[in-house]
Amino acid sequence: MTARAAGPWLAAAFVLAGCTTTVAGTSTPGDRAAGQGEVGCEWEAIDDLDPYLVDVDTPAGQVPASGTVTLELRTGTGEIPLALDRAGAPCAVASLVSLAEQGYFDGSTCHRETDVPGLQVLQCGDPTGTGRGGPSYRYPTQVDGSETYERGTVAMANAADGFDGSQFFLVWGDSRLPPSYTVVGRVDDAGLAVLDGIAAEGNDGSNGTGDGAPNTPVEIEAATVG
């Protein structure tokens, strides 16, 4: 538990494990360019000596702020299409798209599954598979206090420090979480069926009762922007 505490975790996981929860602060992206349908994003480089970081290019400084884009996760257990909402979280979506286009997620595992009441998710997006990995940059968490995490939600995990990286979670059962995690989109019904199959197999409990690595290994063979 101690070894992973520095990584992007869901705050509720610390409650379940008997640790202290810190709620991330509210952050917003830069001002929207008038009439441009774009928004400015702040990409902050982080310590390249951290062995859990993967060196990647940062996305553009100005990114689209309208429409949706599909990110399809092809896994060994089935395809999980994600509909990402640029208007709701333009910087987070731009980051996920950029990472996918660089092949960042290809060959990575979804390292965490939880099936406890109030927290039913599959967490992915860490190429190291440790729960501590991320890209060589970070950016502000984008929340306004109205976020909810019902079944089908896609949201960014964080370390309760006001910043996001690359780890995200897919909600397969309505989850009671504080509005501290950037909501980036939705999983469709076909993807939820795949998640249900993974959840049915449970996890190894390595993080505590009902929380650990999926018993059915989930590898993202390819993440494709469509």
Side-chain angles (χ1 to χ4, degrees):
M1 181 66 184
T2 302
R4 293 191 179 189
W9 280 63
L10 306 183
F14 289 116
V15 175
L16 295 170
C19 302
T20 302
T21 299
T22 303
V23 176
T26 300
S27 301
T28 57
D31 293 335
R32 188 182 302 270
Q36 301 282 326
E38 293 185 341
V39 70
C41 297
E42 299 176 4
W43 313 112
E44 179 183 318
I46 47 181
D47 186 1
D48 59 4
L49 297 179
D50 186 332
Y52 295 100
L53 297 183
V54 177
D55 188 31
V56 292
D57 294 333
T58 58
Q62 291 287 126
V63 303
S66 62
T68 59
V69 60
T70 300
L71 179 61
E72 184 159 312
L73 307 180
R74 189 178 76 236
T75 79
T77 53
E79 295 185 353
I80 307 175
L82 312 180
L84 305 180
D85 179 13
R86 287 183 169 126
C91 298
V93 171
S95 177
L96 289 173
V97 167
S98 175
L99 291 172
E101 291 177 339
Q102 294 180 66
Y104 175 91
F105 299 115
D106 298 354
S108 66
T109 60
C110 294
H111 61 276
R112 183 184 181 204
E113 190 271 341
T114 64
D115 54 19
V116 296
L119 185 60
Q120 298 176 317
V121 307
L122 180 70
Q123 189 165 330
C124 313
D126 173 11
T128 74
T130 64
R132 300 184 67 175
S136 51
Y137 66 87
R138 64 181 188 171
Y139 56 96
T141 299
Q142 186 179 355
V143 293
D144 61 16
S146 66
E147 289 77 14
T148 57
Y149 307 93
E150 68 275 2
R151 175 175 164 84
T153 300
V154 182
M156 302 303 299
N158 62 54
D161 59 357
F163 292 91
D164 295 347
S166 63
Q167 292 189 40
F168 57 90
F169 59 95
L170 312 176
V171 183
W172 57 266
D174 292 347
S175 295
R176 298 188 298 273
L177 291 165
S180 305
Y181 307 97
T182 306
V183 174
V184 292
R186 301 283 302 174
V187 184
D188 69 7
D189 289 342
L192 283 171
V194 175
L195 291 177
D196 289 342
I198 295 167
E201 298 298 322
N203 60 72
D204 64 7
S206 55
N207 302 325
T209 302
D211 186 353
N215 285 330
T216 297
V218 183
E219 178 182 345
I220 298 175
E221 298 171 351
T224 305
V225 178

